[in-house]
Amino acid sequence: MRPSPYERHRELLQEAVRALAAGECRRPFTEATGQDAADAGMRSTRTAGKVFGSLLGRPFDLDQPGELGQVATESSPYGTGTYGMGIGYPRCDPAALVAAAGRAAAGWRAAGPYQRAGLAVEILRRLNTRSHELALAVHHTTGQPPEAAFRAAGPRAQDRALEAVAHAFAESARVPADLSWESPRRRGQPPAMRGTCTLVPRGVSLLIGCPDYPLWNGYPGLFASLVTGNPVIVAPHPRSVLPLAITVRVARQVLAEAGHAPDIVTLAVAEPEERLHRRLATDPAVRIVDFTGSARFADWLEQHARQATVFANRTGLNTVIVDSTENYRDLVRGLARSLCLCSGTFRTTPQNILVPTTGIVTDEGHRSLRDFGADIREAVDRLLGHPARVTRLLGAITGNEVRAALAQAAQYGAVLSASRPLYHPDHPGADLRSPLLVRLGARDERIYAREWPGPVSFLVGTDSTSHSLALFRSTVGRHGAPYAAVHSTDPLVLAVAESAALDAGVHLVQNLADDFPADPSSAGADLPAAGAHFVTGRFRVVRSRRHAAPAAPAPAAGPTPVPIRVAVSAPVLMAEPARVPVPDVGSATELHV
């Protein structure tokens, strides 16, 4: 007999859960393939173009309910010609997609966490075989350079998704299936009680795609919802549909082959002016919303999608605090590289660099604010002085809002490093821009305390390091940020910066001069900032109870065992249960997890 999806992938799931519990960084997909972008052949235009070209200029069939026609919303920022895209996605009635997801929910809930986790891993394994295709889809929709696109769409993104699967599976397996206890009474023998606990999903989940990192940011929510039993409607950003469309197609194929309704996962695409994301997010049947992007839209979701649990990962004001350093050259080179990388779309790109106007103490002596800015400009020019490095570091500009931001920001202060167009030898039509660095004063908070798209950064002169720390605390505390960094030889400064980062809920790196901040695709696959609630907020636990049937007299010797299991690891090490109990929800008592 063919093994179940869970049994096929049981060993991988066990290892992922163990690593999660131990706080270890394990990357099975990356380690199994041993592939880097170069080794994977991403530089081979002929091979990559053949795989990617098979999708262009034709309908992307998914056989979804409520299809009204087709819609094409993408164009490659690397020019028209071969990569004009022209992919027609199914345009479906949103109400039909929500209704289909609702119909599929009961069967998906009944499948139980073991089967759901096994199928999720099967989806990831199949996506892994199409990593090149996914990387090219990210490259030609987001503008990321090829190597960065492979990191954000290939095995490392799949490892990140596997961590979400392991987290969701561990929390699901924590729920004991069977309960038994004695109900206390004032007189007489206490009656024996029996019961069951069942994980009940919240309902239809909506994933709103990110335009720059659709898979890296989208996979955690998608797979956490699937493993906890929630059907998912995937609504990509109109500018980068293809990476998530391929993911949806693979998921639907795996589900159908396993005998489940493929409408557990559907794709929702429409023209931007239809405001499809807002319509779906406020649908009464949508109970979970995942979004990574601008704070403005995240605030809108939290204000208007009140029927749903909203998991919003905001971008924000990535900040660098520079006080002193023992490795000045590496600090300058690291900052220059981080300003260039992916043309400001990287989650770790610094927007605000806070430096005292009196300058900083370094291993090369005192450096003034003016010297520091000039050294960063020189390092940027050196990095982008070779065409091969230009194409490897910079991404193509994908939206007019970035061009407008570059022009506007240059008017607000002294331009230390101007943004200039650069040439792409393989794609002459691509719009590549060097990063813009503008010097501001601390009083210009109205400028640097707002989020700027693209490669826009500010060198902000402050009264002192204490002033820099206070500005960091106030600006990031109000507007948020994914990452921050501090450079100092003073332990007190490092301690205060760490405290401020904890207060703001921001990831902090200290004195990592040559890799600011640490590349998130090379670190452990961190789940979004919601923590454990990112998983447990996707389900409830309901309990059904009844009087136990009379049992045969138990042997006199030995204590009565307690049948309730609470350890996370125990269910993982077991075989898949033969039965997943489904209680009478009408008489159930809810247990909030």
Side-chain angles (χ1 to χ4, degrees):
M1 189 175 71
R2 187 180 180 185
S4 69
Y6 171 74
E7 290 297 333
R8 287 201 303 272
H9 304 301
R10 178 181 170 187
E11 184 178 346
L12 180 58
L13 271 168
Q14 288 178 15
E15 185 60 31
V17 172
R18 287 195 193 100
L20 185 68
E24 298 174 355
C25 176
R26 300 300 298 271
R27 298 181 298 189
F29 285 108
T30 304
E31 294 162 2
T33 57
Q35 291 175 329
D36 198 344
D39 298 331
M42 288 301 299
R43 293 178 182 174
S44 172
T45 305
R46 179 179 303 174
T47 302
K50 182 178 180 181
V51 175
F52 180 69
S54 65
L55 298 172
L56 303 177
R58 60 183 65 181
F60 195 95
D61 296 324
L62 288 173
D63 191 23
Q64 294 190 150
E67 290 195 18
L68 305 174
Q70 292 185 349
V71 58
T73 61
E74 299 163 305
S75 62
S76 172
Y78 289 98
T80 54
T82 304
Y83 299 111
M85 307 292 279
I87 304 173
Y89 300 100
R91 179 177 172 270
C92 301
D93 179 7
L97 292 180
V98 173
R103 290 191 297 270
W108 190 234
R109 181 188 70 190
Y114 288 84
Q115 186 176 163
R116 293 194 297 259
L119 288 171
V121 177
E122 179 63 26
I123 293 169
L124 286 173
R125 283 202 177 277
R126 295 201 191 180
L127 290 171
N128 179 253
T129 66
R130 304 178 70 168
S131 293
H132 302 87
E133 183 181 338
L134 290 165
L136 279 167
V138 169
H139 171 58
H140 281 288
T141 56
T142 69
Q144 292 178 34
E147 293 180 20
F150 189 78
R151 286 195 300 268
R156 295 185 183 186
Q158 294 142 18
D159 285 330
R160 177 172 163 86
L162 180 63
E163 182 175 343
V165 171
H167 198 161
F169 178 57
E171 292 295 338
S172 302
R174 186 192 299 272
V175 178
D178 299 302
L179 304 173
S180 64
W181 70 99
E182 291 183 346
S183 182
R185 278 187 176 178
R186 291 184 180 179
R187 298 181 226 173
Q189 183 70 21
M193 303 293 293
R194 299 283 297 174
T196 57
C197 274
T198 304
L199 183 151
V200 177
R202 291 282 179 184
V204 179
S205 178
L206 172 66
L207 169 62
I208 300 177
C210 168
D212 299 314
Y213 289 86
L215 302 186
W216 184 265
N217 290 326
Y219 277 173
L222 170 64
F223 284 95
S225 279
L226 285 178
V227 176
T228 52
N230 304 280
V232 184
I233 299 174
V234 179
H237 190 282
R239 214 166 55 213
S240 52
V241 178
L242 184 57
L244 285 170
I246 295 171
T247 300
V248 169
R249 175 182 276 176
V250 170
R252 289 174 65 85
Q253 290 170 348
V254 170
L255 291 166
E257 290 172 11
H260 291 281
D263 293 337
I264 293 165
V265 182
T266 54
L267 183 75
V269 187
E271 295 288 354
E273 58 269 17
E274 293 188 37
R275 305 169 81 86
L276 178 64
H277 301 95
R278 296 177 183 247
R279 180 174 173 182
L280 285 170
T282 54
D283 190 294
V286 171
R287 309 314 299 269
I288 301 169
V289 178
D290 285 286
F291 170 71
T292 297
S294 70
R296 183 169 57 183
F297 188 61
D299 292 341
W300 185 94
L301 286 171
E302 291 177 347
Q303 292 169 10
H304 294 86
R306 295 186 176 274
Q307 85 292 346
T309 301
V310 176
F311 297 101
N313 248 12
R314 293 166 169 80
T315 53
L317 313 180
N318 285 342
T319 301
V320 184
I321 302 160
V322 183
D323 169 66
S324 54
T325 180
E326 294 178 342
N327 198 341
Y328 182 69
R329 284 297 144 190
D330 280 352
L331 168 61
V332 169
R333 280 194 294 266
L335 282 172
R337 185 176 183 275
S338 66
L339 295 178
C340 296
L341 198 59
C342 296
S343 296
T345 63
F346 219 55
R347 285 193 71 222
T348 60
T349 301
Q351 177 178 299
N352 299 329
I353 306 171
L354 308 181
V355 183
T357 55
T358 55
I360 59 174
V361 176
T362 78
D363 56 321
E364 298 184 5
H366 180 268
R367 305 297 291 177
S368 68
L369 182 64
R370 184 183 297 273
D371 294 336
F372 189 49
D375 291 340
I376 294 176
R377 179 189 64 228
E378 182 182 345
V380 168
D381 291 342
R382 190 180 300 113
L383 265 178
L384 301 180
H386 194 285
R389 284 198 293 267
V390 169
T391 58
R392 190 169 65 248
L393 290 174
L394 297 184
I397 302 300
T398 58
N400 289 329
E401 68 275 10
V402 174
R403 301 180 183 93
L406 288 168
Q408 184 182 7
Q411 302 174 5
Y412 286 125
V415 175
L416 302 179
S417 181
S419 179
R420 64 186 190 280
L422 295 169
Y423 178 73
H424 195 301
D426 297 324
H427 302 287
D431 185 5
L432 271 61
R433 307 282 185 98
S434 65
L436 172 70
L437 181 63
V438 177
R439 189 176 69 231
L440 298 176
R443 64 185 180 278
D444 298 316
E445 189 170 336
R446 64 182 179 84
I447 300 169
Y448 63 79
R450 54 173 272 205
E451 186 179 352
W452 290 78
V456 176
S457 297
F458 301 103
L459 181 64
V460 181
T462 65
D463 296 340
S464 63
T465 297
S466 296
H467 189 203
S468 296
L469 290 165
L471 283 178
F472 165 65
R473 187 184 292 272
S474 64
T475 57
V476 175
R478 289 197 309 271
H479 303 284
Y483 284 84
V486 59
H487 295 274
S488 178
T489 58
D490 186 342
L492 180 59
V493 171
L494 298 177
V496 174
E498 185 170 6
S499 175
L502 290 172
D503 291 342
V506 177
H507 299 295
L508 179 71
V509 293
Q510 301 179 4
N511 292 329
L512 295 182
D514 59 346
D515 188 15
F516 165 73
D519 178 355
S521 66
S522 64
D526 55 316
L527 288 179
H533 180 63
F534 182 72
V535 169
T536 59
R538 297 172 192 270
F539 64 83
R540 300 182 301 275
V541 176
V542 299
R543 181 176 65 182
S544 176
R545 53 189 175 180
R546 63 189 180 277
H547 285 291
T560 303
V562 179
I564 302 178
R565 298 189 306 269
V566 295
V568 175
S569 57
V572 179
L573 300 176
M574 294 168 55
E576 181 180 5
R579 176 184 63 87
V580 178
V582 181
D584 179 4
V585 179
S587 62
T589 301
E590 181 173 318
L591 299 177
H592 294 280
V593 177

